[in-house]
Amino acid sequence: MSCCLWLSLRETAVILCLLLSSTSLSPTSGQAEIPLETVKLWADTFGGNLYDIVTKYSGSLLLQKKYKDVEPSLKIQEVDGLELVRKFSEDMESMLRRKVEAVKNLVEAAEEADLNHEFNESLVFDYYNSVLINERDASGKYVELGAEFVLQSNAHFSNLMVNTSLSSVQLPTNVYNKDPDILNGVYMSEALNPVFVENFQRDPTLTWQYFGSSTGFFRIYPGIKWTPDENGVIAFDCRNRGWYIQAATSPKDVVILVDTSGSMKGLRMTIAKHTISTILDTLGENDFVNIIAYNDYIHYIEPCFKGILVQADRDNREHFKQLVDELMVKGVGVVAQALREAFQILKQFQEARQGSLCNQAIMLITDGAVEDYEPVFEEYNWPDRKVRVFTYLIGREVTFADRMKWIACNNKGYYTQISTLADAQENVMEYLHVLSRPMVINHDHDIIWTEAYMDSKLSTSQAQSLMLLTTVAMPVFSKKNETRSHGILLGVVGSDVALRELMKLAPRYKLGVHGYAFLNTNNGYILAHPDLRPLYREEKKLKPKPNYNSVDLSEVEWEDQAEILRTAMINGETGSLSMDVKVPLDNGKRVLFLTNDYFFTDISDTPFSLGVALSRGHGEYILLGNTSVEEGLHDLLHPDLTLAHDWIYCITDIDPDHRKLSQLEAMVHFLTGEDPDLECDKELVREVLFDAVVTAPMEAYWTALALNNSEESEHVADMAFLGTRAGLLRSSLFVGSEKISNKKFLTPEDQASVFTMDHFPLWYRQAAEQPAGSFVFNLRSAEGPESPNEPVVVTASTAVAVTVDKKTAIAAAVGVQMRLDFLQHTFWTATRQCSPADGLCPESCQDSDLDCFIIDNNGFILISERSQEMGRFLGEVDGALMTELLSMGVFNQVTMYDYQAMCKPPNHHHSTARPLVSPISALLTVTRWLVNELLLFLLEWSTWASWHVDRGAEAKAVFHHSHKHKKQEVLQPCDTEYPVFVHQKAIQEANGIISCGSCQKIFVMQRIPNSNLLLLVTDSTCDCSSFPLVLQEATEVKYILSILQDVFALTVHPAHNASIKCDRMRSQKLRRRPDSCHAFHPEENAQDCGGTWETSASLPLLLLPCARLLPCWLLRGHPPGLTSADR
């Protein structure tokens, strides 16, 4: 209360100060006087003329009268937010339940088919291979596995060519399509075909259904042809997908230990890095991870994560991958201390009830382990063996295979050897099968829902969509008794749900002008939100942001500083809260100050929560009208009328006969009874009919104006338009369509100007917050390459409000689009006006010693004598004037934040330069290098001849892939802050003098009535270019406490060198863990723990123990007593 009082007093003081200023400003010698009365006259004259023009051509007064006439028949109903969000939630739960039922049907069919199938090593079976279908050889015959497969375009599947009678089978390039395991699995899964079809017939809203096999094949319905990439490769492997991994295993805590000793140099390190990257790809947002590199000492590859586990969301996984790529090799590998560190982290997290609280595992990646590590397991893991240890032997050497397998088998893990880059994928996947055993043995079919993601299943089939999806998936198990203890996972079945379709169950018209609905996951990540921006533009292409599906609710609803809303929604609570918010508009150039009421509840049997935001005031009410069907139909069929393209008035995407209908056509069929099977939103249809009747007279009004306009020589306006809260849109041209300056306006190409699922049009939203009868003006750029971004068109719009029983609701908004040159002409004419007492105008805006600007309430220039300034922010043109307006309180600067921004990475390179060292240190370094190189040479000699060709080819391929990846990596996710400038409405006029060194700059500001515009008149003879410009630029938020801490990092205590960025990275936000966990089962066969190996040992390998006899100080790089400071 005291804060509000202070602000009120401050604003009053500013106004009094401005009112007490003189009526004209006294110029210095040689400067023109700017009479305040003259400027006010110019503003009033221009404002009056402008108001007459826009009211005439928009017909706003007529529309207001038409709604006023029907007020007695209207009802304004207050929206019950809690009831609304519960209803939306129930509808969504019902829709998602149908998807779960379809997946359960597939699980039952797959497990039954496997139970009745006997493995046949010599099975011969032809199936529809997605890549080979419809392919012919040189003789014109179908190739093997490529029989004729009928494909037809289907609107329900994004107009792709599909076969809704059959599924097809896709395999990655590295999986042999005639392998016995593949043939038996494909043959068994043929039983899913009739279930796919039955599911789709039972629920026509289903999209893709599929079965991903643990052997690598992917059966997808409807069947589709798969196209390899430009290199002829099918990279898609269903076992890498989030839906597969989450369904196959329970949540897990993972510590990855990677050997970075000297023996890992070259291809071994390349394979190790690829293995780590592959493991990271198998983790999801319910998992926790850290990576420790070790040689003769251990270090966390991200020092900020020392001693903890972090959530394996996309952000952290990508961060780890970048750090792994920079790992260097040196020294000798000592695994015991690394294992000890890993066990301690896992134990601490388990005891603190942090992390996944389910599976725990250590991934050991090395080319060998020689020291005594058994005491570590005795101390930390035996006899319970609660932490599984998975070992990955890198390279072709097998000397240490028995030790690596012993580690895995004695810790309920799995051992594999990875000799080439191509081996990594299949070998890493083995750990998923081990972790799935307890769940399989128990036959626990957990239902999982994924985070939002963009479909990549069809990316190589020319069918990639930028649509966000969630997948419901369930594991498929072998029920055969003889394999029960092995816990065999057959695969995972799933079905996609387009989040856009889910959000259609929260109809836009029920949420008001500024309201919206949103979804988030149990981890607090956004599934759907109108402010979620998952794509960014790189050159001419739209690409997914690296972190698009790990945007936290607190990063979108960032005004929720205490995270009260986030906490309640993650906990699945039902309730409400209010919050003052700043809503960005027009790509962040403008801002609305609103008070939002938030209502939220969970969606039963899912990890999702639903929220609804309604703005206070008119957003709390919904307008209800009624009219006869006959009258409404008559006015609905006018050619100037369209409906919101994305809104669902009638359901047309289920019945194939309805898909060809537009929403308007479907509504007509429904109202006339022509198609009784059509299902429509009766409430929305009723409102559309009512709005069609009330707004119908506007067509005749605009037509008459257009006829008169054609007879006038002056081109005033391009078009008039209106929109109603039911998504109805009318428009009328005053000129020929070829003369329209902005042809994209009111088309789907210009999303900001039309009704969408996410928002009302920009001109509607701005008008709703203007005072009654006042117009909001926006400058718009021309389209086409001839005049890129050159502003030539102005839109003006005003809201039509209806009041019933002291409740006010926004019924519609109406506006006009006019040419900028006409607006300029009107303004220059107005500034030639003077009061009768002055006679001829002593001053004019076209005088050389005056500068005149028309700016909007956010400081953007609509009119200037210099065309290159129009459309720009005033602070970019005249920093001195904008600075003075800010200091006087005429404008306020509002700081906004964008936690989904993309920034150019800092230009930093790892320098090879090192500080000067002593001769002794240099000698020791050289000696150490020579010894290490000699050992490594001996180690590699025995195997070099057999695999140096493969190694060179693989390394070359990796280099090219890495080089290409880095070259394209131009932008990276970041947080930014940016200023928005807002005029204080209480200040109608202002004037002042700016001291600019040798001269003084005079200015006068006057508000233009009935608009969001201001007139600024300044003295152009005084050069104030020495003032810095005021820019509306976004700057990256640097989360660092002090630059000095970086400069003196070596001299301050580490505890005092913590950064805010590190705190943010380490922070463990509240999350809700999945309900189920399957970590162990007493019947599990732990002896199924890895592959076979050869036990040949060569002379160089026998030298390894000798390496341990070398002086430790020689291998570490310094003798006893010589510290790093000495070096």
Side-chain angles (χ1 to χ4, degrees), residues 57 702-717 733-736 739:
Y57 281 90
W702 288 334
T703 302
L705 272 181
L707 292 173
N708 293 335
N709 196 37
S710 63
E711 298 171 3
E712 298 174 4
S713 58
E714 193 172 31
H715 181 175
V716 178
L733 299 181
F734 296 132
V735 296
K739 294 182 179 179

Side-chain angles (χ1 to χ4, degrees), residues 16-211:
L16 285 172
C17 178
L18 295 171
L19 289 174
L20 291 171
S21 61
S22 61
T23 56
S24 72
L25 298 178
S26 300
T28 58
S29 177
Q31 288 183 291
E33 183 178 335
I34 305 178
L36 303 187
E37 298 88 348
T38 302
V39 176
K40 186 175 190 312
L41 177 65
W42 291 346
D44 290 344
T45 303
F46 177 58
N49 293 341
L50 196 56
Y51 182 75
D52 291 342
I53 291 167
V54 293
T55 52
K56 172 184 174 182
Y57 281 90
S58 67
S60 59
L61 298 179
L62 174 62
L63 186 61
Q64 183 73 60
K65 180 180 183 302
K66 290 300 176 185
Y67 273 101
K68 189 74 175 175
D69 291 343
V70 296
E71 265 189 11
S73 65
L74 292 176
K75 290 182 180 178
I76 294 182
Q77 180 177 302
E78 188 169 356
V79 178
D80 184 333
L82 279 177
E83 182 183 339
L84 191 68
V85 76
R86 285 192 183 106
K87 176 65 168 60
F88 291 168
S89 172
E90 289 169 3
D91 291 344
M92 291 180 180
E93 192 269 330
S94 178
M95 174 189 178
L96 297 179
R97 192 190 311 117
R98 293 197 300 271
K99 314 307 176 191
V100 171
E101 291 302 321
V103 167
K104 286 181 176 179
N105 293 338
L106 292 171
V107 170
E108 292 173 5
E111 291 183 347
E112 188 65 25
D114 174 72
L115 190 61
N116 296 325
H117 175 74
E118 291 187 12
F119 187 87
N120 182 355
E121 184 72 31
S122 58
L123 177 67
V124 177
F125 175 65
D126 287 337
Y127 58 92
Y128 291 112
N129 184 298
S130 292
V131 176
L132 301 175
I133 52 176
N134 297 332
E135 295 290 324
R136 298 176 185 268
D137 57 22
S139 63
K141 295 180 180 179
Y142 287 110
V143 299
E144 191 176 14
L145 302 181
E148 181 181 9
F149 194 75
V150 179
L151 297 170
Q152 294 179 322
S153 176
N154 191 306
H156 185 66
F157 295 94
S158 306
N159 293 312
L160 297 174
M161 301 295 289
V162 298
N163 185 320
T164 53
S165 300
L166 293 168
S167 60
S168 58
V169 175
Q170 174 269 343
L171 298 98
T173 298
N174 63 335
V175 176
Y176 178 44
N177 59 25
K178 287 294 192 68
D179 183 275
D181 287 336
I182 295 294
L183 288 176
N184 278 268
V186 171
Y187 179 81
M188 176 274 293
S189 65
E190 283 284 302
L192 297 180
N193 271 321
V195 185
F196 284 140
V197 175
E198 289 169 14
N199 280 343
F200 188 47
Q201 290 174 344
R202 190 179 299 113
D203 179 11
T205 66
L206 277 173
T207 55
W208 305 100
Q209 304 173 66
Y210 38 86
F211 169 65

Side-chain angles (χ1 to χ4, degrees), residues 619 621 658 1078 1112:
Y621 303 109
H658 296 158
H1078 309 281
C1112 294

